[in-house]
Amino acid sequence: MATDVQFLENFDVKPPEAILTASIEEAARGISRILLLLLVLPFVDIKLEGLSAPSMRTVLLAIGGVVVAAGLVSFIPRARQKVMDIAARIWKSLVVLGGQQKRQIGILGGALATELVYALALGCFAQAYDIGLSPIELVAVNTAGSMLASVVPSPGGIGSAEAALTGVLVALGVPAETAFPIALTQRLGTQYLPPLWGLLCLHWLRGKSYL
């Protein structure tokens, strides 16, 4: 997200709008995962076990933190004014986006296409281990694995994503000794190797003063 924001700011997009744009893209990916998961779950035999809701203490601590932060902001005039200005700009941007259905469709459609491409890649990696999964199962594994991995805070999803994908694959009946290599290969091909050629893109962007 930081790179997206910096890129937009170099094109004279104000920080609040740049942050909002990047946040909307992240939100669109989250919404697309939920929609895809709800769409395919009725057609797959998958059980996600071992999940539990957060404790009441955790919920109360989170609410208390939000209340304290809001109280501090409200009692500091400069902070309150800054928050109000940012909120006004964000609301203005949301109003503009709300009136542009083509952009809404484009953002959500792009997010859906991204998830489907990841699911297709997962299918290719699974085939390399002689594991055949239907398109519906691939979408279920990819979306459920991504959502579960996002629950555990880790840099780039390292460890948590592999564990989540492995767990969902095992829940679909894939042997554990095969599920983990599939998950690891998926992450290697989609997350760990792309930054190598991404460095070339980053160098080009900086050379053009885009970052």
Side-chain angles (χ1 to χ4, degrees):
M1 181 183 290
T3 303
D4 293 341
V5 171
Q6 186 178 1
F7 178 81
L8 292 171
E9 287 180 350
N10 284 340
F11 284 89
D12 298 326
V13 178
K14 295 180 180 180
E17 285 82 355
I19 295 173
L20 175 64
T21 301
S23 299
I24 288 176
E25 292 178 358
E26 290 294 323
R29 291 198 65 179
I31 293 172
S32 66
R33 288 170 180 169
I34 294 173
L35 290 176
L36 286 172
L37 191 59
L38 292 177
L39 183 64
V40 301
L41 269 184
F43 304 101
V44 294
D45 183 17
I46 183 172
K47 296 181 180 180
L48 301 178
E49 299 178 353
L51 299 178
S52 59
S55 64
M56 181 59 66
R57 180 181 179 183
T58 302
V59 174
L60 292 176
L61 286 174
I63 295 175
V66 172
V67 172
V68 170
L72 290 175
V73 170
S74 64
F75 282 108
I76 302 176
R78 183 175 297 181
R80 182 174 66 248
Q81 186 59 43
K82 186 174 182 179
V83 170
M84 293 298 294
D85 291 342
I86 292 175
R89 291 178 181 177
I90 290 176
W91 176 253
K92 182 179 179 181
S93 299
L94 286 174
V95 171
V96 172
L97 180 62
Q100 299 179 0
Q101 294 183 355
K102 288 185 178 181
R103 286 191 178 183
Q104 295 174 9
I105 295 173
I107 292 172
L108 186 58
L112 287 169
T114 299
E115 296 303 318
L116 293 176
V117 169
Y118 275 112
L120 179 62
L122 177 63
C124 294
F125 294 128
Q127 284 290 342
Y129 293 92
D130 293 326
I131 298 296
L133 298 173
S134 69
I136 290 178
E137 290 174 329
L138 291 172
V139 172
V141 172
N142 179 69
T143 53
S146 299
M147 293 175 66
L148 288 174
S150 64
V151 175
V152 181
S154 62
I158 297 176
S160 61
E162 288 84 350
L165 284 172
T166 301
V168 180
L169 285 168
V170 170
L172 273 175
V174 178
E177 61 271 15
T178 307
F180 178 71
I182 292 175
L184 187 59
T185 308
Q186 160 81 348
R187 291 283 294 171
L188 184 67
T190 60
Q191 299 295 328
Y192 300 146
L193 289 180
L196 295 179
W197 48 83
L199 288 174
L200 299 176
C201 299
L202 182 63
H203 178 74
W204 182 85
L205 288 170
R206 288 178 173 173
K208 297 292 184 178
S209 299
Y210 291 147
L211 290 176

